[in-house]
Amino acid sequence: DQKELEKELAAKEAVKSVKQSQIVGLGTGSTAKYVIIELGKMVKDGLKIQCIPTSTKTAELATSYNIPLIDINTVNHIDVTIDGADEFTKEKMLIKGGGGALLREKIVASLTKEEIIIADASKKVDKLGKFTLPIEVIPFALNYVQHQIVSLQGKGKLRMNNNKPFLTDQQNYIIDSDFGLIDNPRVLAEKLNQIEGLVAHGLFIGLAARVIMGVGDSVQVFN
Ligand code: DER
């Protein structure tokens, strides 16, 4: 359908930035999946890259396409990462974490020289916040962080999976938090960064080098 076509168009445009012998971060989600499929073809045709997955799900998918993986702790930088987003603005501010991979995605993004975000046109927003903000917390801090979210005028809901709390790759919980439309994402991000036990939130500010949006039968790039 239209969205899937736009995801694929964005992914195909993004992989043009992947060069021989690079260290490549692999995103998580249904848009990033198209990147893994494309890179699988390029590896089959002789592309030599070493990849770092942002989730166990992505690691399994990449392995199924014979994409070589390496341990993030064996590198001190990543050349290029291609990842999705739940929302993005023209200033390249993002909400991520819909797929639950936000902590590893943020660490990989922070290590990456060129973080490329790919998305279908439905992800573009004027203001972040229609999509609830994923917040990853250690279980020990669940109640404490919930209270901190309330004090920041948010409304948090523990993410569930089959009637049990969803667990991230790190065995942490996610609180999907509604702060309404967020006037100043940077200010909210800085407040969230102070909360003990909150290990990651989905506001990615200043991390994206480029956003490639599939729209109709072409792409639009936000630099
Ligand atoms: O969880 C994540 O951060 C994913 O990248 C998500 O934001 C995008 O997932 P999608 O490509 O399936 O919409």
Side-chain angles (χ1 to χ4, degrees):
D1 69 20
Q2 181 60 33
K3 246 190 213 180
E4 292 309 306
L5 181 68
E6 291 175 348
K7 292 178 182 181
E8 192 171 15
L9 284 170
K12 286 185 169 174
E13 181 62 26
V15 296
K16 292 176 184 171
S17 298
V18 177
K19 306 288 180 241
Q20 193 74 329
S21 314
Q22 283 191 319
I23 298 170
V24 181
L26 301 178
T28 295
S30 61
T31 310
K33 179 172 185 201
Y34 288 105
V35 172
I36 290 166
I37 294 168
E38 285 308 311
L39 289 178
K41 292 177 196 165
M42 294 159 71
V43 164
K44 198 159 184 283
D45 292 347
L47 179 70
K48 296 266 176 294
I49 50 176
Q50 294 179 295
C51 297
I52 293 171
T54 51
S55 63
T56 49
K57 196 156 179 290
T58 286
E60 286 157 13
L61 192 63
T63 300
S64 74
Y65 284 96
N66 302 314
I67 294 172
L69 301 180
I70 53 168
D71 180 327
I72 190 167
N73 291 312
T74 64
V75 304
N76 48 31
H77 83 280
I78 296 170
D79 296 299
V80 58
T81 292
I82 309 173
D83 200 351
D86 297 297
E87 287 186 338
F88 76 90
T89 68
K90 65 183 181 326
E91 297 81 16
K92 301 181 290 181
M93 295 192 286
L94 320 174
I95 284 185
K96 283 176 61 54
L102 64 158
L103 177 55
R104 294 193 186 190
E105 289 175 333
K106 200 172 250 189
I107 293 165
V108 166
S110 303
L111 205 51
T112 295
K113 290 189 178 331
E114 190 186 13
E115 176 83 6
I116 300 173
I117 297 297
I118 54 175
D120 62 81
S122 75
K123 304 290 186 62
K124 185 167 181 315
V125 295
D126 291 334
K127 245 185 197 181
L128 297 177
K130 186 160 178 291
F131 190 94
T132 51
L133 179 63
I135 290 177
E136 182 163 341
V137 298
I138 63 167
F140 185 82
L142 176 62
N143 206 32
Y144 170 70
V145 175
Q146 276 281 33
H147 280 90
Q148 299 306 307
I149 289 168
V150 169
S151 68
L152 291 174
Q153 278 75 50
K155 210 154 51 53
K157 206 154 68 69
L158 178 62
R159 186 180 297 186
M160 301 301 280
N161 178 30
N162 299 331
N163 302 322
K164 289 199 304 293
F166 171 90
L167 291 177
T168 66
D169 282 346
Q170 294 69 244
Q171 309 304 304
N172 290 327
Y173 292 154
I174 290 191
I175 302 172
D176 289 302
S177 311
D178 183 353
F179 290 97
L181 291 183
I182 303 167
D183 291 324
N184 192 327
R186 199 180 293 278
V187 165
L188 178 56
E190 276 153 16
K191 288 179 181 166
L192 294 172
N193 292 340
Q194 311 303 320
I195 300 172
E196 302 302 332
L198 186 160
V199 289
H201 56 78
L203 289 171
F204 282 47
I205 316 283
L207 285 171
R210 221 175 339 141
V211 176
I212 300 175
M213 176 178 83
V215 52
D217 60 0
S218 68
V219 295
Q220 188 176 344
V221 182
F222 298 82
N223 280 303

